[in-house]
């Protein structure tokens, strides 16, 4: 019987396997940031252990970092302590770190791919659930907790139980104005936040193959919002072209053997998936969430659902609570919902293509009176590239704020937060209660919808302009 | 890690589904660099409401949390597990968990028990009728016992053994350190390295 892509990668990384035990997998790359690592380094110190492979490890500062005045010390003393702790740990254990102010600093899931250290066929972990982003390259990439971070630091391996396999087939052609963000929001609305639980999702089909590398990353990024452990896409010429020439791409001589290996990374035609889900790309339209979990999403041109629309009691109760928290009435058209803040950024949609797409919509226009728009590039490199292309000017001329790189308002650990009751249209990945600031209300959208919304002041698509 | 064989205690009925880790502990509370002191952050937003179940005096000394489906979805923050443990919880019972949260809990020694939604509803009703109801969580027998009832739960043999022995995963893995070295020797030359840094 044939194998799935994820099974092939798995088998290539088994270090030790015994009946009744989880497989011990080798980890090719370990990404680190300041929030989930301090206790892991402490554990190493306590046990007198070293980092086994500093040369397969890389760290950045992203969650706590401010997006203004980055040349000054971090104002919040507790955030500063966490960042300083990472700096101390990286120095002590010999780990490469990209600090605030460094051109390679940025959100950990933006930095890996842009340096070319994310490559097909790898196992990649990070103490962050959106590690699934790297699956877009045909890597098996998943988030882990701090105990596991310590485990990988000490051993460069991780014991793992075998996941189940889900294929998501997206066939057809996306209409103009519909993006990969809409594919993934529609999928999560379809299968639910628990729908992918226990699975590795492989995204396949003509609509997926037609996507750019960065658009593929947006989809794999949000696999976790469907509950999946990881999401991946078979590598192809688009993948190889994206990696070629990046700082850590295999050098000539090794490039050929790498590509030869990468070309075997696909699911065999007779591979068995435990579940298959089909999505028709032709009929998709811009999607937006109305509630407090990423599965509570609908097409932007529809009305807010009513609790009674849901068949089971748990969903009805969840909808009722969500509408109350969001301050929304059932049956209202989503396009009439007024927005206070637009956030363009995060590891989901903070890459150069996202900024270009939004700038294209905004160019020559002004954002709505009273609305605040924050543009936060995913990395310092993305920021620099955008400035070279003059995108910062487009945003600034429209009245938006042009910030430094980091996670920013995606989770509001730094000062970039919503105030209680404030409503955002956000290109990030989580609309949980209080995610962007206590009492804040979040609608998840694509960069195109974010841009159009900034101009009209209500949830909108570029077609409404 | 402390060994977990069985635990008997009273419980809190948390009648909510999709309790994500941002609710269990909001981002603002993740800035500590230790593993302790996270109890203040636990369900911080909800605890502002005096009627929230954790604020009710009859549940003050509870050590078991009974929640709806999809508990612990979202962020990978192990702080969510520590916050529950720091607050005094030893066991969570729910029909379904976020994968990473569940992994984290079982590594850190917080037992996350999976039972059918019907059992959760029955527990909620029973606890609300009698907040002093004692629930026994017997890992050796993989069984919950309350009010004269026995309910079996599943947990794979390996994890159960590790929890009952209180074993540290890293120590277990290091028994295979030779296999790790052998594997490393066979890794192809084109595999990426982060050092020396190139840019
Ligand atoms: S941008 Fe948001 S989701 Fe991504 S790593 Fe940062 S906090 Fe997490």
């Amino acid at each position: 019987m044939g194998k799935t892509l994820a099974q092939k990668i798995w088998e290539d990384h088994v270090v030790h396997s015994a009946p009744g035990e989880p497989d011990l997998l080798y980890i090719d790359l370990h990404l680190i940031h300041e929030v989930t690592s301090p206790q892991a380094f402490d554990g190493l110190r306590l046990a007198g252990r070293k980092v086994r492979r500093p040369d397969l490890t890389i760290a950045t500062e992203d969650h706590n970092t401010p997006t203004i005045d980055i040349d000054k010390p971090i104002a919040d003393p507790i955030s500063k302590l966490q960042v300083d702790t990472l700096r101390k740990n990286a120095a002590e254990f010999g780990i490469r770190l990209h600090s605030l102010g460094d051109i390679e600093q940025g959100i950990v899931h933006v930095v890996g791919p842009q340096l070319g250290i994310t490559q097909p066929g790898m196992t990649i972990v990070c103490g962050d659930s959106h590690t699934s982003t790297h699956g877009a390259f045909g890597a098996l990439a998943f988030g882990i907790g701090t105990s596991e971070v310590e485990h990988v630091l000490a051993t460069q391996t991780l014991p793992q139980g075998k996941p189940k396999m889900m294929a998501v087939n997206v066939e057809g052609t996306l209409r103009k104005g519909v993006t990969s963000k809409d594919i993934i929001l529609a999928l999560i609305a379809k299968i639910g936040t628990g729908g992918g639980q226990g699975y590795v999702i492989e995204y396949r089909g003509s609509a997926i193959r037609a996507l750019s590398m960065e658009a593929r990353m947006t989809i794999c990024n949000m696999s976790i919002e469907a509950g999946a452990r990881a999401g991946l896409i078979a590598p192809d010429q688009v993948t190889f072209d994206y990696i070629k020439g990046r700082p850590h791409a295999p050098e000539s001589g090794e490039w050929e053997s790498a590509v030869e290996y990468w070309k075997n990374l696909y699911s065999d035609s007779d591979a068995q998936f435990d579940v298959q889900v089909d999505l028709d790309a032709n009929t998709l339209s811009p999607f937006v969430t109305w509630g407090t979990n990423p599965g509570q999403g609908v097409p932007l041109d529809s009305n807010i659902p009513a609790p009674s629309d849901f068949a089971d009691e748990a969903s009805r109760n969840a909808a009722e609570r969500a509408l109350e928290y969001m301050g929304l009435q059932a049956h209202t058209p989503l396009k009439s919902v007024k927005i206070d803040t637009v956030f363009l950024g995060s590891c989901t949609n903070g890459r150069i293509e996202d900024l270009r797409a939004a700038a294209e919509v905004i160019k020559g226009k002004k954002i709505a009176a009273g609305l605040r728009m924050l543009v936060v590039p995913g990395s310092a490199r993305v920021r620099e590239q955008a400035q070279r292309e003059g995108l910062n000017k487009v945003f600034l001329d429209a009245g938006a704020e042009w910030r430094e790189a980091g996670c920013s308002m995606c989770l509001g650990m730094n000062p970039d937060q919503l105030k209680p009751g404030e409503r955002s249209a956000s290109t990030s990945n989580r609309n949980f209660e209080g995610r962007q600031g206590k009492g804040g209300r979040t609608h998840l959208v694509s960069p195109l919808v974010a841009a159009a919304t900034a101009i009209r002041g209500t949830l909108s698509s570029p077609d409404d302009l | 890690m402390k060994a977990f064989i069985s635990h008997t205690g009273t419980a809190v009925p948390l009648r909510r589904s999709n309790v994500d880790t941002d609710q269990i502990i909001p981002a603002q509370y993740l800035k500590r660099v230790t593993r302790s002191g996270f109890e203040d952050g636990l369900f911080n937003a909800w605890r502002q409401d005096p009627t929230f179940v954790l604020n009710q005096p009859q549940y003050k000394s509870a050590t078991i949390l009974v929640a709806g489906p999809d508990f612990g979805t979202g962020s990978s923050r192990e702080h969510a597990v520590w916050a529950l443990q720091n607050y005094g919880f030893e066991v969570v019972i729910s029909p379904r968990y976020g994968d990473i949260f569940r992994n984290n809990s079982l590594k850190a020694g917080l037992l996350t028990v999976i039972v059918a939604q019907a059992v959760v509803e029955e527990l909620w009703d029973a606890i609300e009728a009698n907040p002093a109801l004692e629930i026994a969580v017997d890992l050796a027998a993989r069984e919950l016992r309350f009010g004269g009832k026995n309910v079996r739960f599943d947990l794979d043999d390996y994890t159960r053994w590790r929890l009952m022995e209180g074993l540290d995963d890293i120590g277990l893995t290091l028994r295979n350190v030779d296999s790790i070295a052998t594997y490393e020797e066979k890794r192809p030359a084109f595999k990426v390295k982060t050092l020396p840094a190139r840019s």
Side-chain angles (χ1 to χ4, degrees):
Chain A
M1 193 179 67
K3 292 173 189 157
T4 68
L5 167 56
Q7 283 162 346
K8 287 182 182 176
I9 302 174
W10 186 283
E11 285 176 10
D12 278 351
H13 289 84
V14 175
V15 167
H16 172 82
S17 161
E21 286 180 29
D23 286 350
L24 189 64
L25 292 188
Y26 198 79
I27 302 302
D28 288 323
L29 177 66
H30 187 190
L31 305 158
I32 295 205
H33 63 85
E34 75 275 16
V35 181
T36 53
S37 65
Q39 296 84 354
F41 284 110
D42 252 4
L44 288 187
R45 258 190 298 269
L46 272 174
R49 290 175 177 137
K50 285 194 177 37
V51 175
R52 184 177 176 91
R53 296 296 300 266
D55 61 336
L56 304 183
T57 311
I58 187 169
T60 75
E61 300 166 0
D62 52 9
H63 284 65
N64 278 278
T65 52
T67 55
I68 41 173
D69 297 334
I70 62 163
D71 47 338
K72 305 209 179 79
I74 299 177
D76 172 359
I78 335 179
S79 284
K80 182 170 182 303
L81 173 67
Q82 205 164 55
V83 171
D84 286 345
T85 304
L86 178 62
R87 291 178 187 177
K88 200 173 68 71
N89 286 331
E92 180 180 336
F93 289 95
I95 290 170
R96 172 176 175 186
L97 166 68
H98 293 295
S99 283
L100 200 56
D102 178 328
I103 184 69
E104 303 298 354
Q105 178 267 342
I107 306 171
V108 66
H109 311 307
V110 178
V111 169
Q114 97 191 357
L115 279 171
I117 56 175
T118 299
Q119 295 175 11
M122 295 172 75
T123 46
I124 302 177
V125 298
C126 174
D128 190 284
S129 55
H130 291 100
T131 309
S132 58
T133 312
H134 306 262
F137 291 79
L140 186 61
F142 50 91
I144 57 178
T146 300
S147 295
E148 292 172 308
V149 169
E150 184 180 337
H151 194 283
V152 178
L153 287 171
T155 70
Q156 203 59 35
T157 64
L158 209 54
Q160 287 286 305
K162 281 210 175 78
K164 292 179 285 178
M165 301 290 150
M166 178 186 289
V168 170
N169 309 306
V170 194
E171 298 289 351
T173 313
L174 291 177
R175 285 182 290 182
K176 192 169 167 298
V178 186
T179 69
S180 65
K181 181 67 163 276
D182 304 306
I183 295 181
I184 189 67
L185 285 175
L187 175 73
I188 301 165
K190 180 168 176 160
I191 69 174
T193 55
Q197 233 159 66
Y199 292 95
V200 168
I201 300 180
E202 181 177 340
Y203 303 95
R204 319 196 295 170
S206 56
I208 301 293
R209 285 193 300 274
L211 295 173
S212 72
M213 217 43 234
E214 297 195 354
R216 293 179 187 184
M217 283 189 246
T218 302
I219 294 197
C220 289
N221 173 277
M222 288 191 71
S223 304
I224 181 75
E225 268 64 60
R229 199 67 208 280
L232 42 62
I233 294 171
D236 57 13
Q237 200 56 43
V238 174
T239 322
F240 309 151
D241 291 346
Y242 188 91
I243 297 170
K244 185 134 203 180
R246 292 191 180 263
H248 283 267
E251 285 174 324
S252 55
E254 279 166 6
W255 174 261
E256 291 69 25
S257 20
V259 173
E260 196 185 318
Y261 172 62
W262 295 347
K263 284 190 169 159
N264 292 315
L265 297 171
Y266 54 83
S267 290
D268 297 328
S269 54
D270 56 344
Q272 287 287 324
F273 287 91
D274 299 286
V275 182
Q276 302 251 5
V277 177
D278 296 322
L279 210 58
D280 180 2
N282 299 313
T283 58
L284 284 180
S285 63
F287 237 72
V288 55
T289 60
W290 53 268
T292 54
N293 75 54
Q296 291 173 322
V298 288
L300 172 62
D301 51 20
S302 57
N303 293 345
I304 294 170
S308 57
D309 295 349
F310 297 90
D312 65 299
E313 198 192 325
S315 304
R316 268 200 304 278
N317 291 342
E320 207 160 306
R321 265 192 65 79
L323 288 179
E324 193 194 321
Y325 180 86
M326 293 294 288
L328 294 171
Q329 294 293 324
H331 307 305
T332 328
L334 271 153
K335 284 190 173 173
S336 69
V337 174
K338 199 173 158 296
I339 297 294
D340 306 302
T341 295
V342 170
F343 172 64
L344 177 60
S346 88
C347 60
T348 313
N349 283 125
R351 296 185 174 77
I352 191 70
E353 287 180 9
D354 302 312
L355 301 191
R356 282 182 193 141
E360 174 95 19
V361 174
I362 284 184
K363 196 168 188 151
K365 303 188 183 71
K366 294 275 180 221
I367 64 172
L371 181 138
R372 159 173 78 147
M373 181 178 191
L374 238 59
V375 185
V376 184
S379 71
R381 277 242 183 255
V382 169
R383 186 170 190 274
E384 186 205 48
Q385 167 92 27
Q387 294 190 163
R388 253 186 288 136
E389 297 177 16
L391 305 183
N392 56 327
K393 222 178 148 306
V394 172
F395 291 117
L396 286 166
D397 287 350
E401 296 177 42
W402 178 248
R403 297 294 190 91
E404 304 280 348
C407 294
S408 177
M409 199 184 271
C410 173
L411 90 166
M413 250 184 120
N414 75 355
D416 306 340
Q417 296 180 16
L418 294 179
K419 290 197 264 308
E422 240 189 313
R423 186 181 299 283
S424 80
S426 176
T427 64
S428 56
N429 44 50
R430 287 188 176 140
N431 52 344
F432 299 153
E433 290 181 21
R435 168 79 176 181
Q436 299 191 288
K438 209 172 192 169
R441 297 160 167 166
T442 303
H443 296 273
L444 299 177
V445 297
S446 72
L448 293 177
V449 170
T453 300
I455 289 159
R456 292 195 10 128
T458 50
L459 288 171
S460 304
S461 80
D463 284 348
D464 300 320
L465 295 173
Chain B
M1 196 172 78
K2 200 175 85 189
F4 190 114
I5 314 258
S6 71
H7 171 80
T8 302
T10 58
V12 183
L14 182 64
R15 285 189 180 264
R16 292 190 190 189
S17 59
N18 260 296
V19 177
D20 57 75
T21 51
D22 272 79
Q23 302 319 313
I24 301 174
I25 184 161
Q28 292 75 21
Y29 290 89
L30 304 184
K31 299 181 185 183
R32 282 175 176 276
V33 294
T34 60
R35 279 180 199 251
S36 56
F38 290 100
E39 62 275 18
D40 291 349
L42 182 71
F43 299 123
N44 184 273
W46 294 343
R47 271 159 77 191
Q48 306 308 310
D49 171 3
T51 66
F52 179 59
V53 65
L54 246 61
N55 291 331
Q56 297 175 20
Q58 68 271 35
Y59 301 123
K60 269 283 176 273
S61 51
T63 51
I64 300 170
L65 183 70
V66 185
D70 297 316
F71 187 85
T73 51
S75 152
S76 69
R77 54 187 74 165
E78 196 164 317
H79 313 66
V81 172
W82 303 332
L84 287 160
Q85 288 179 315
N86 293 166
Y87 186 88
F89 288 114
E90 307 250 353
V91 178
V92 181
I93 300 174
S94 161
R96 204 162 58 199
Y97 298 91
D99 275 344
I100 307 181
F101 172 82
R102 181 120 205 279
N103 247 326
N104 289 343
S105 69
L106 297 173
K107 303 261 176 205
L110 173 75
L111 183 63
T112 39
V113 173
I114 299 177
V115 294
Q117 175 70 23
V119 174
V120 165
E121 312 238 348
E122 191 180 340
L123 276 166
W124 282 340
D125 293 343
I127 301 162
E128 281 165 359
N130 173 21
L133 177 78
E134 293 223 316
I135 301 172
V137 184
D138 185 340
L139 182 54
R142 282 182 268 226
E143 201 172 73
L144 295 181
R145 290 187 291 273
F146 60 97
K149 287 202 66 160
N150 296 14
V151 180
R152 290 263 311 163
F153 62 85
D154 281 334
L155 186 70
D156 67 275
D157 291 341
Y158 182 80
T159 308
R160 171 170 165 272
W161 165 76
R162 201 171 45 68
L163 284 168
M164 289 182 62
E165 300 286 326
L167 285 172
D168 159 21
D169 249 354
I170 299 180
L172 284 174
T173 295
L174 288 175
R175 293 183 189 171
N176 294 309
V177 70
D178 292 344
S179 318
I180 300 176
T182 311
Y183 181 92
E184 282 177 332
E185 277 162 30
K186 289 199 206 124
R187 292 178 80 233
F190 62 76
K191 286 277 183 173
V192 78
K193 288 204 174 71
T194 58
L195 292 171
R198 303 189 215 153
S199 57

